[in-house]
Each structure stands twice: as C-alpha cells, then as structure tokens.
Amino acid sequence: MTHQYFLQTAMHVAKRSMEKGNLPFGCVLTGPENTILLEGENTVVTDANAIAHCEINLVQQLGNRFERDYLQQCTLYATTEPCAMCAAAIYWSGIGKLVYALDKTTFHQLAGTSAPEHILDMRAEEVLNRGRRTVNVIGPLMEKEAGQVYMQWLHDK
C-alpha cells in the first residue's frame, strides 16, 4: 500500500464527516504491516466541541489498545496538516509518523479563513520537532485531491 492509498482513505473519512454535518477533516492510523487500525472523523459540529478534531478523536480511541513500541511504528494519515493541538496529541500518543495531504496554509486560503480564533500559525512539524522523541513528518503529498474535498465542502455549505 502507498501513502496515496491511505491519504485517499482519509479523504473518504473526511467526506463521511461532511455528510454528517461536520468539518471536512479525516484521518486513519496504520500499523507497521500497512493495515488500517483506526479512523478518525471531525465531530466539532455534531459534538458541539471545538477540540473534536479528527486526530484528537483518533488518539482518544487508542486508550491502552497498543504498546508504545508498536505505536512508534504506526503512521497517522491526515487529509490536512494537523493543527498544533493535534500535532501535540500525536506526539504524546506515541505515533511515529505523520503523513498529510494538504498543508494548513493552503487549506486556510481555500476556505477563506479570516477569523483569528481559527488560525494558530505553528506548523505540525515545528511542534513535533520540539519533542525529544522523533516523529517523522511527510507532506503535503496530495494537495490537489484534498483541495477538491474542501472545495466540495465550501460549495455545499
């Protein structure tokens, strides 16, 4: 399986999130054997919870299901570069790699984000590099495809 395959899967999760009335964000966690272990949808709207981002929802599902050594070998695939809060959650969870489709600066440009409370200008890689544990970051990889998901969301709003 390729990064593109898992990012496409994350985009399907984002579309499912949109169909439920939430924001267009989704992610999946894969194990070292390239199988999908968990999916995370954004539920900010339906949960009336400003921090119910897809990555936070996924990390909360981890619980005690996996050993930290195992999680270090896992990859989180996200439709958009995670915000600083989600990047920190990825770090603290023990997940070893992050791959994302669209950088958040491009997302904010596409979405026309202007409210200051919706922008925290800190790259995920910057947050993750502040830790003493290595989290590999790859992205953006599929900006055009992910951008189309967000354009659909903007059109449907």
Side-chain angles (χ1 to χ4, degrees), residues 2-137:
T2 65
H3 291 317
Q4 286 76 14
Y5 172 82
F6 293 117
L7 288 172
Q8 283 286 356
T9 303
M11 286 182 231
H12 289 298
V13 174
K15 289 175 185 176
R16 193 170 64 228
S17 175
M18 288 182 344
E19 289 166 2
K20 294 177 183 176
N22 288 296
L23 303 173
F25 302 103
C27 61
V28 296
L29 180 71
T30 63
E33 57 287 326
N34 283 329
T35 57
I36 295 175
L37 304 172
L38 296 169
E39 296 180 347
E41 289 181 33
N42 177 288
T43 59
V44 167
V45 176
T46 55
D47 288 352
N49 180 348
I51 66 168
H53 295 191
C54 64
E55 300 91 348
I56 295 292
N57 289 340
L58 185 141
V59 166
Q60 287 182 329
Q61 293 178 59
L62 291 174
N64 292 324
R65 295 170 68 171
F66 306 102
E67 298 290 327
R68 289 195 61 88
D69 289 344
Y70 181 78
L71 285 170
Q72 182 62 38
Q73 300 172 62
C74 293
T75 302
L76 188 143
Y77 289 90
T79 53
T80 301
E81 177 184 2
C83 70
M85 172 186 69
C86 293
I90 292 165
Y91 178 83
W92 290 115
S93 73
I95 295 168
K97 186 185 287 184
L98 164 66
V99 179
Y100 63 90
L102 181 70
D103 72 77
K104 63 184 178 180
T105 301
T106 303
F107 169 76
H108 288 305
Q109 290 171 348
L110 289 172
T113 308
S114 60
E117 65 271 15
H118 295 283
I119 300 175
L120 179 57
D121 284 327
M122 182 175 273
R123 304 295 305 247
E125 192 165 19
E126 183 181 347
V127 173
L128 294 167
N129 284 341
R130 297 289 181 115
R132 301 230 171 127
R133 179 179 70 79
T134 300
V135 179
N136 295 316
V137 179

Side-chain angles (χ1 to χ4, degrees), residues 80 102-113 142-155 157:
T80 301
L102 181 70
D103 72 77
K104 63 184 178 180
T105 301
T106 303
F107 169 76
H108 288 305
Q109 290 171 348
L110 289 172
T113 308
M142 298 178 70
E143 291 186 290
K144 180 180 177 186
E145 296 88 341
Q148 289 171 345
V149 172
Y150 301 117
M151 295 309 291
Q152 177 188 342
W153 171 68
L154 290 168
H155 179 265
K157 290 195 333 181

